[in-house]
Amino acid sequence: MVQKISDSVAARWTVLIAVSLTMMCGYFMCDVMSPLKTLLQEIMGWDSVEYGVFSSSYGWLNVILLMLIVGGVILDKKGARFTGVFATGVMLIGAVLKYYGIEFIDPTIRTTLPFFGEMRLQLLVTSLGYAIFAFGYETMGITATKIIVRWFKGKEMALALGMQVAFARLGTMLAMVAPIPIYNMFGKLSTPILFCTVLLLFGFAIFMVFVVMDRKLDKERAQEALADDEKFRFSDILLIFRNRGFWYIAMLCLLFYAAVFPFLKFATEFMIIKFNVNPEYAGIIPGLLPLGTLFLTPLFGGIYDKKGKGATIMLIGTLMLVGVYITFSITGLNHWLVAVAMMIVLGIAFSLVPSAMWPSVAKIIPMERLGSAYALIFWVQNIGLAGVPLVVGIVLDKYGKVGDSYDYTYPVYIFLALCLTSVIFALLLKREDRVKGYGLEKPNIKK
Ligand SMILES: C[C@H](NC(=O)[C@@H](N)CCCCN)C(=O)O
Protein backbone atom coordinates (compact mmCIF):
# COMPACT_ATOMS: atom_id res chain seq x y z
CA MET A 1 0.00 0.00 0.00
CA VAL A 2 1.32 3.50 -0.91
CA GLN A 3 1.72 5.75 2.16
CA LYS A 4 -0.30 8.99 2.08
CA ILE A 5 1.76 12.20 2.24
CA SER A 6 -0.45 13.44 5.10
CA ASP A 7 0.65 10.42 7.16
CA SER A 8 4.33 10.60 6.21
CA VAL A 9 6.52 11.74 9.09
CA ALA A 10 9.41 12.47 6.70
CA ALA A 11 7.17 14.62 4.46
CA ARG A 12 5.82 16.81 7.25
CA TRP A 13 9.25 17.34 8.83
CA THR A 14 10.74 18.19 5.43
CA VAL A 15 8.01 20.82 5.02
CA LEU A 16 8.76 22.14 8.48
CA ILE A 17 12.48 22.48 7.82
CA ALA A 18 11.99 24.16 4.41
CA VAL A 19 9.52 26.71 5.78
CA SER A 20 11.57 27.31 8.93
CA LEU A 21 14.76 27.96 6.96
CA THR A 22 12.96 30.57 4.86
CA MET A 23 11.71 32.22 8.05
CA MET A 24 15.16 32.06 9.65
CA CYS A 25 16.61 34.15 6.82
CA GLY A 26 13.82 36.69 7.38
CA TYR A 27 14.53 36.90 11.12
CA PHE A 28 18.20 37.54 10.41
CA MET A 29 17.33 40.44 8.14
CA CYS A 30 14.70 41.75 10.57
CA ASP A 31 17.18 42.52 13.35
CA VAL A 32 20.43 42.95 11.44
CA MET A 33 20.57 46.67 12.21
CA SER A 34 20.12 46.27 15.99
CA PRO A 35 23.81 45.78 16.93
CA LEU A 36 24.73 48.58 14.52
CA LYS A 37 22.84 51.31 16.45
CA THR A 38 25.95 52.87 17.96
CA LEU A 39 27.82 52.67 14.62
CA LEU A 40 24.89 54.26 12.79
CA GLN A 41 25.22 57.09 15.27
CA GLU A 42 28.98 57.41 14.83
CA ILE A 43 29.24 56.90 11.05
CA MET A 44 25.94 58.17 9.64
CA GLY A 45 25.05 60.62 12.43
CA TRP A 46 21.68 58.99 13.25
CA ASP A 47 20.47 59.86 16.77
CA SER A 48 18.22 57.68 18.98
CA VAL A 49 15.02 59.25 17.62
CA GLU A 50 16.11 58.52 14.04
CA TYR A 51 16.96 54.97 15.01
CA GLY A 52 13.51 54.78 16.65
CA VAL A 53 11.85 56.10 13.46
CA PHE A 54 13.68 53.50 11.40
CA SER A 55 12.66 50.68 13.80
CA SER A 56 9.06 51.84 13.90
CA SER A 57 8.84 51.87 10.10
CA TYR A 58 8.23 48.15 10.69
CA GLY A 59 4.60 49.13 11.23
CA TRP A 60 4.09 51.74 8.47
CA LEU A 61 2.52 49.25 6.07
CA ASN A 62 1.59 46.46 8.48
CA VAL A 63 -0.17 48.52 11.13
CA ILE A 64 -1.08 51.91 9.68
CA LEU A 65 -2.08 50.71 6.20
CA LEU A 66 -3.46 47.41 7.60
CA MET A 67 -1.38 45.48 5.08
CA LEU A 68 -0.81 42.64 7.53
CA ILE A 69 -4.54 41.99 7.64
CA VAL A 70 -4.59 42.12 3.84
CA GLY A 71 -1.79 39.53 3.98
CA GLY A 72 -3.96 37.26 6.16
CA VAL A 73 -6.92 37.57 3.83
CA ILE A 74 -4.68 36.81 0.82
CA LEU A 75 -3.48 33.74 2.71
CA ASP A 76 -6.97 32.45 3.44
CA LYS A 77 -8.20 33.22 -0.07
CA LYS A 78 -5.19 32.30 -2.21
CA GLY A 79 -3.54 29.64 -0.10
CA ALA A 80 -0.15 29.18 1.48
CA ARG A 81 1.85 28.44 -1.69
CA PHE A 82 0.91 31.63 -3.50
CA THR A 83 1.15 33.77 -0.36
CA GLY A 84 4.52 32.34 0.65
CA VAL A 85 6.10 33.02 -2.75
CA PHE A 86 4.56 36.50 -2.82
CA ALA A 87 5.67 37.34 0.73
CA THR A 88 9.24 36.15 0.21
CA GLY A 89 9.43 38.24 -2.96
CA VAL A 90 8.22 41.30 -1.05
CA MET A 91 10.84 40.67 1.67
CA LEU A 92 13.53 40.63 -1.01
CA ILE A 93 12.38 43.92 -2.55
CA GLY A 94 12.41 45.56 0.90
CA ALA A 95 15.85 44.15 1.69
CA VAL A 96 17.34 45.51 -1.54
CA LEU A 97 15.89 48.97 -0.86
CA LYS A 98 17.27 48.95 2.67
CA TYR A 99 20.70 47.98 1.35
CA TYR A 100 20.50 50.73 -1.29
CA GLY A 101 19.67 53.33 1.36
CA ILE A 102 22.65 52.54 3.54
CA GLU A 103 25.16 51.90 0.74
CA PHE A 104 24.37 54.59 -1.81
CA ILE A 105 22.62 57.53 -0.15
CA ASP A 106 24.70 60.30 1.37
CA PRO A 107 23.55 60.61 5.02
CA THR A 108 23.83 64.41 4.93
CA ILE A 109 21.15 64.87 2.21
CA ARG A 110 17.85 65.98 3.72
CA THR A 111 14.34 65.98 2.29
CA THR A 112 10.98 67.40 3.41
CA LEU A 113 7.83 65.30 3.70
CA PRO A 114 4.21 66.44 4.27
CA PHE A 115 3.64 64.82 7.70
CA PHE A 116 7.12 63.96 8.86
CA GLY A 117 8.73 67.34 8.13
CA GLU A 118 12.43 67.40 7.34
CA MET A 119 14.39 64.16 7.55
CA ARG A 120 17.45 62.42 6.14
CA LEU A 121 16.79 60.96 2.67
CA GLN A 122 18.84 57.96 3.72
CA LEU A 123 16.61 57.38 6.74
CA LEU A 124 13.49 57.69 4.58
CA VAL A 125 14.65 55.20 1.92
CA THR A 126 16.03 52.73 4.45
CA SER A 127 12.83 52.93 6.49
CA LEU A 128 10.68 52.43 3.38
CA GLY A 129 12.76 49.35 2.58
CA TYR A 130 12.27 48.09 6.12
CA ALA A 131 8.51 48.77 5.97
CA ILE A 132 8.18 46.78 2.72
CA PHE A 133 10.37 44.01 4.09
CA ALA A 134 8.23 43.89 7.27
CA PHE A 135 5.04 43.44 5.26
CA GLY A 136 6.54 40.44 3.45
CA TYR A 137 8.11 39.09 6.62
CA GLU A 138 4.98 39.23 8.76
CA THR A 139 2.83 37.83 5.93
CA MET A 140 5.36 35.01 5.60
CA GLY A 141 5.15 34.55 9.38
CA ILE A 142 1.40 33.92 9.37
CA THR A 143 1.79 31.75 6.27
CA ALA A 144 4.46 29.60 7.95
CA THR A 145 2.32 29.22 11.08
CA LYS A 146 -0.73 28.18 9.08
CA ILE A 147 1.34 25.74 7.00
CA ILE A 148 2.61 24.04 10.13
CA VAL A 149 -0.84 23.82 11.70
CA ARG A 150 -2.18 22.35 8.43
CA TRP A 151 0.53 19.68 8.28
CA PHE A 152 0.75 18.91 12.01
CA LYS A 153 -2.73 19.35 13.52
CA GLY A 154 -3.59 16.37 15.73
CA LYS A 155 0.08 15.37 15.64
CA GLU A 156 3.19 17.04 17.13
CA MET A 157 1.79 20.53 16.47
CA ALA A 158 3.33 22.47 19.38
CA LEU A 159 6.67 20.72 18.93
CA ALA A 160 6.64 21.65 15.23
CA LEU A 161 5.66 25.27 15.93
CA GLY A 162 8.37 25.30 18.60
CA MET A 163 10.92 24.04 16.07
CA GLN A 164 9.92 26.78 13.66
CA VAL A 165 10.34 29.38 16.40
CA ALA A 166 13.73 27.79 17.23
CA PHE A 167 14.92 28.33 13.65
CA ALA A 168 13.55 31.87 13.87
CA ARG A 169 15.57 32.48 17.03
CA LEU A 170 18.67 31.18 15.26
CA GLY A 171 18.05 33.95 12.73
CA THR A 172 17.70 36.51 15.54
CA MET A 173 20.85 35.19 17.20
CA LEU A 174 22.79 35.60 13.93
CA ALA A 175 21.41 39.12 13.74
CA MET A 176 22.76 39.87 17.23
CA VAL A 177 26.16 38.30 16.80
CA ALA A 178 27.16 38.53 13.13
CA PRO A 179 26.74 42.19 11.98
CA ILE A 180 29.64 43.70 13.97
CA PRO A 181 32.20 41.06 12.88
CA ILE A 182 30.95 41.40 9.27
CA TYR A 183 31.30 45.17 9.55
CA ASN A 184 34.79 44.82 11.04
CA MET A 185 35.78 42.52 8.19
CA PHE A 186 34.55 44.73 5.32
CA GLY A 187 34.48 48.17 6.93
CA LYS A 188 31.02 48.99 5.53
CA LEU A 189 27.71 49.29 7.37
CA SER A 190 25.84 48.00 4.32
CA THR A 191 27.68 44.67 4.06
CA PRO A 192 25.72 42.90 6.84
CA ILE A 193 22.50 43.89 4.99
CA LEU A 194 23.87 42.60 1.70
CA PHE A 195 24.80 39.35 3.41
CA CYS A 196 21.21 38.92 4.68
CA THR A 197 19.76 39.76 1.27
CA VAL A 198 21.75 36.94 -0.31
CA LEU A 199 20.56 34.60 2.45
CA LEU A 200 16.98 35.65 1.74
CA LEU A 201 17.44 34.55 -1.87
CA PHE A 202 18.43 31.17 -0.52
CA GLY A 203 15.29 31.22 1.66
CA PHE A 204 13.19 31.92 -1.44
CA ALA A 205 14.68 28.90 -3.23
CA ILE A 206 14.18 26.55 -0.28
CA PHE A 207 10.51 27.56 0.02
CA MET A 208 9.96 25.85 -3.35
CA VAL A 209 10.50 22.48 -1.64
CA PHE A 210 7.38 23.20 0.40
CA VAL A 211 5.46 24.30 -2.72
CA VAL A 212 6.06 20.94 -4.39
CA MET A 213 5.09 18.89 -1.33
CA ASP A 214 2.03 20.96 -0.51
CA ARG A 215 0.69 20.46 -4.03
CA LYS A 216 0.77 16.73 -3.39
CA LEU A 217 -1.07 17.16 -0.09
CA ASP A 218 -3.73 19.26 -1.83
CA LYS A 219 -4.32 16.52 -4.42
CA GLU A 220 -4.69 13.96 -1.67
CA ARG A 221 -7.10 16.16 0.31
CA ALA A 222 -9.15 16.96 -2.81
CA GLN A 223 -9.67 13.22 -3.28
CA GLU A 224 -10.88 13.05 0.31
CA ALA A 225 -13.16 16.09 -0.38
CA LEU A 226 -11.68 18.02 2.53
CA ALA A 227 -10.61 21.10 0.63
CA ASP A 228 -13.96 22.87 0.75
CA ASP A 229 -13.89 23.01 4.54
CA GLU A 230 -10.96 25.37 4.29
CA LYS A 231 -12.68 28.09 2.22
CA PHE A 232 -12.57 31.55 3.75
CA ARG A 233 -15.46 34.01 4.08
CA PHE A 234 -15.17 37.69 5.06
CA SER A 235 -17.82 37.24 7.75
CA ASP A 236 -15.24 35.03 9.51
CA ILE A 237 -13.34 38.15 10.57
CA LEU A 238 -16.38 39.32 12.57
CA LEU A 239 -16.59 35.95 14.28
CA ILE A 240 -12.95 36.28 15.31
CA PHE A 241 -13.60 39.81 16.63
CA ARG A 242 -16.41 38.51 18.85
CA ASN A 243 -14.22 35.91 20.51
CA ARG A 244 -13.01 37.11 23.92
CA GLY A 245 -10.35 34.39 24.20
CA PHE A 246 -8.89 35.67 20.95
CA TRP A 247 -8.56 39.20 22.35
CA TYR A 248 -6.91 38.01 25.54
CA ILE A 249 -4.32 36.08 23.59
CA ALA A 250 -3.82 39.00 21.16
CA MET A 251 -3.25 41.44 24.05
CA LEU A 252 -0.91 39.03 25.77
CA CYS A 253 1.00 38.73 22.49
CA LEU A 254 1.17 42.53 22.04
CA LEU A 255 2.48 43.21 25.55
CA PHE A 256 4.81 40.27 25.91
CA TYR A 257 6.49 40.62 22.52
CA ALA A 258 6.70 44.41 22.95
CA ALA A 259 8.76 43.74 26.07
CA VAL A 260 11.19 41.46 24.24
CA PHE A 261 11.86 42.26 20.55
CA PRO A 262 12.02 46.07 20.97
CA PHE A 263 14.34 45.53 23.94
CA LEU A 264 16.65 43.55 21.65
CA LYS A 265 16.89 46.58 19.37
CA PHE A 266 18.57 48.50 22.20
CA ALA A 267 20.12 45.57 24.08
CA THR A 268 23.65 45.84 22.64
CA GLU A 269 23.92 49.48 23.67
CA PHE A 270 22.23 48.70 27.01
CA MET A 271 24.90 46.06 27.73
CA ILE A 272 27.67 48.58 27.01
CA ILE A 273 26.15 51.34 29.13
CA LYS A 274 24.67 49.51 32.12
CA PHE A 275 27.02 46.52 32.38
CA ASN A 276 30.23 48.08 30.99
CA VAL A 277 30.64 45.33 28.41
CA ASN A 278 33.31 45.86 25.73
CA PRO A 279 31.49 47.12 22.57
CA GLU A 280 33.32 44.44 20.50
CA TYR A 281 31.51 41.67 22.41
CA ALA A 282 28.38 43.48 23.57
CA GLY A 283 26.19 41.74 20.94
CA ILE A 284 27.10 38.34 22.35
CA ILE A 285 25.11 38.75 25.59
CA PRO A 286 21.78 39.59 23.89
CA GLY A 287 22.71 36.81 21.44
CA LEU A 288 22.39 34.39 24.38
CA LEU A 289 18.66 35.02 24.48
CA PRO A 290 17.86 33.46 21.11
CA LEU A 291 20.47 30.77 21.77
CA GLY A 292 18.57 29.53 24.84
CA THR A 293 15.19 29.72 23.11
CA LEU A 294 16.58 27.63 20.27
CA PHE A 295 16.53 24.51 22.42
CA LEU A 296 13.86 25.39 24.93
CA THR A 297 10.97 26.39 22.63
CA PRO A 298 10.71 22.91 21.02
CA LEU A 299 11.19 21.34 24.46
CA PHE A 300 8.32 23.29 26.01
CA GLY A 301 6.27 22.74 22.83
CA GLY A 302 6.80 18.99 23.25
CA ILE A 303 5.65 19.23 26.87
CA TYR A 304 2.52 21.12 25.80
CA ASP A 305 1.80 18.45 23.14
CA LYS A 306 2.02 15.62 25.63
CA LYS A 307 0.98 17.12 28.97
CA GLY A 308 -1.02 20.26 28.12
CA LYS A 309 -0.95 23.21 30.58
CA GLY A 310 -0.70 25.81 27.79
CA ALA A 311 -2.32 28.68 29.74
CA THR A 312 -0.17 27.97 32.80
CA ILE A 313 3.00 27.90 30.69
CA MET A 314 2.16 31.37 29.31
CA LEU A 315 1.50 32.73 32.81
CA ILE A 316 4.83 31.45 34.14
CA GLY A 317 6.66 33.00 31.16
CA THR A 318 5.17 36.45 31.78
CA LEU A 319 6.03 36.30 35.50
CA MET A 320 9.64 35.44 34.71
CA LEU A 321 9.89 38.44 32.39
CA VAL A 322 8.69 40.69 35.21
CA GLY A 323 11.56 39.32 37.35
CA VAL A 324 14.08 40.16 34.61
CA TYR A 325 13.06 43.81 34.28
CA ILE A 326 12.87 44.30 38.05
CA THR A 327 16.49 43.10 38.18
CA PHE A 328 17.49 45.40 35.29
CA SER A 329 15.88 48.33 37.12
CA ILE A 330 18.10 47.94 40.22
CA THR A 331 20.87 50.55 39.90
CA GLY A 332 23.64 48.75 41.78
CA LEU A 333 23.29 45.47 39.88
CA ASN A 334 25.66 46.08 36.99
CA HIS A 335 28.08 43.16 36.92
CA TRP A 336 28.15 41.56 33.47
CA LEU A 337 27.31 38.18 35.04
CA VAL A 338 23.95 39.63 36.12
CA ALA A 339 23.33 40.53 32.48
CA VAL A 340 24.21 37.00 31.39
CA ALA A 341 21.98 35.42 34.07
CA MET A 342 19.06 37.69 33.17
CA MET A 343 19.45 36.91 29.47
CA ILE A 344 19.16 33.23 30.33
CA VAL A 345 15.98 33.82 32.38
CA LEU A 346 14.64 36.04 29.59
CA GLY A 347 15.44 33.20 27.17
CA ILE A 348 13.43 30.73 29.25
CA ALA A 349 10.48 33.15 29.46
CA PHE A 350 10.73 33.82 25.74
CA SER A 351 10.56 30.08 25.08
CA LEU A 352 7.67 29.36 27.41
CA VAL A 353 5.22 31.93 26.07
CA PRO A 354 5.62 31.40 22.28
CA SER A 355 5.74 27.60 22.66
CA ALA A 356 2.25 27.67 24.17
CA MET A 357 0.81 30.79 22.53
CA TRP A 358 0.86 29.86 18.84
CA PRO A 359 -0.59 26.34 19.18
CA SER A 360 -3.23 27.73 21.56
CA VAL A 361 -4.60 30.05 18.85
CA ALA A 362 -5.42 26.94 16.82
CA LYS A 363 -7.50 25.67 19.76
CA ILE A 364 -9.51 28.89 20.03
CA ILE A 365 -10.06 29.56 16.30
CA PRO A 366 -11.11 26.99 13.65
CA MET A 367 -8.78 26.12 10.74
CA GLU A 368 -10.64 28.05 8.01
CA ARG A 369 -10.25 31.31 9.98
CA LEU A 370 -6.75 30.64 11.21
CA GLY A 371 -4.88 32.69 8.58
CA SER A 372 -7.01 35.74 9.37
CA ALA A 373 -6.76 35.09 13.12
CA TYR A 374 -2.97 34.91 13.03
CA ALA A 375 -2.91 38.01 10.83
CA LEU A 376 -5.06 39.93 13.33
CA ILE A 377 -2.89 38.82 16.25
CA PHE A 378 0.28 39.76 14.38
CA TRP A 379 -1.33 43.11 13.54
CA VAL A 380 -2.06 43.83 17.19
CA GLN A 381 1.44 42.63 18.07
CA ASN A 382 2.99 44.86 15.38
CA ILE A 383 1.55 47.95 17.10
CA GLY A 384 3.93 47.19 19.96
CA LEU A 385 6.82 46.06 17.77
CA ALA A 386 6.67 49.30 15.80
CA GLY A 387 5.57 51.72 18.52
CA VAL A 388 7.75 50.73 21.47
CA PRO A 389 11.16 51.31 19.77
CA LEU A 390 9.98 54.77 18.74
CA VAL A 391 8.79 55.60 22.25
CA VAL A 392 12.04 54.26 23.74
CA GLY A 393 14.11 56.25 21.20
CA ILE A 394 12.24 59.46 22.07
CA VAL A 395 12.43 58.82 25.84
CA LEU A 396 16.18 58.15 25.57
CA ASP A 397 16.73 61.34 23.62
CA LYS A 398 14.55 63.54 25.83
CA TYR A 399 15.18 62.19 29.31
CA GLY A 400 18.11 59.81 29.09
CA LYS A 401 20.92 61.82 27.51
CA VAL A 402 24.07 61.82 29.62
CA GLY A 403 26.76 63.55 27.55
CA ASP A 404 27.38 61.28 24.54
CA SER A 405 25.78 58.33 26.27
CA TYR A 406 22.32 57.34 27.56
CA ASP A 407 20.68 56.41 30.85
CA TYR A 408 18.33 53.44 30.31
CA THR A 409 16.31 53.79 33.56
CA TYR A 410 13.06 54.97 31.91
CA PRO A 411 13.18 52.49 29.01
CA VAL A 412 13.57 49.66 31.56
CA TYR A 413 10.48 50.97 33.41
CA ILE A 414 8.58 50.98 30.11
CA PHE A 415 9.50 47.34 29.49
CA LEU A 416 8.57 46.45 33.08
CA ALA A 417 5.15 48.10 32.73
CA LEU A 418 4.52 46.14 29.54
CA CYS A 419 5.26 42.76 31.07
CA LEU A 420 3.35 43.51 34.28
CA THR A 421 0.27 44.19 32.14
CA SER A 422 0.90 41.00 30.17
CA VAL A 423 0.56 39.02 33.44
CA ILE A 424 -3.01 40.34 33.78
CA PHE A 425 -3.93 39.10 30.30
CA ALA A 426 -2.31 35.71 30.95
CA LEU A 427 -4.54 35.39 34.03
CA LEU A 428 -7.64 36.48 32.09
CA LEU A 429 -6.88 33.95 29.36
CA LYS A 430 -6.50 31.16 31.90
CA ARG A 431 -9.88 32.03 33.41
CA GLU A 432 -11.56 32.28 29.98
CA ASP A 433 -10.20 28.85 29.09
CA ARG A 434 -11.76 27.41 32.25
CA VAL A 435 -15.11 29.03 31.42
CA LYS A 436 -15.23 28.26 27.67
CA GLY A 437 -13.36 24.96 27.70
CA TYR A 438 -10.94 25.72 24.83
CA GLY A 439 -8.70 22.94 26.08
CA LEU A 440 -5.59 25.10 26.53
CA GLU A 441 -4.63 23.03 29.56
CA LYS A 442 -5.12 19.77 27.64
CA PRO A 443 -2.45 17.96 25.53
CA ASN A 444 -2.39 18.60 21.76
CA ILE A 445 -1.66 15.04 20.68
CA LYS A 446 -4.86 13.07 20.23
CA LYS A 447 -4.48 9.49 21.37
C1 LIG B 1 6.30 32.97 15.73
C2 LIG B 1 6.44 34.34 16.29
N1 LIG B 1 6.39 35.30 15.21
C3 LIG B 1 5.95 36.54 15.36
O1 LIG B 1 5.52 36.92 16.42
C4 LIG B 1 6.00 37.44 14.16
N2 LIG B 1 4.98 38.42 14.22
C5 LIG B 1 7.36 38.05 13.98
C6 LIG B 1 7.83 38.93 15.07
C7 LIG B 1 9.33 39.01 15.03
C8 LIG B 1 9.88 40.37 15.11
N3 LIG B 1 11.30 40.33 14.91
C9 LIG B 1 7.73 34.46 17.09
O2 LIG B 1 8.73 34.94 16.54
O3 LIG B 1 7.72 34.06 18.26
Side-chain angles (χ1 to χ4, degrees), residues 27 30-31 58 137-138 164-165 168-169 257 261 350 354 358 378 381-382 385:
Y27 274 74
C30 182
D31 276 315
Y58 192 86
Y137 167 69
E138 287 286 343
Q164 188 247 312
V165 173
R169 300 295 176 259
Y257 275 83
F261 275 123
F350 198 38
W358 304 115
F378 277 20
Q381 177 206 43
N382 270 229
L385 294 183

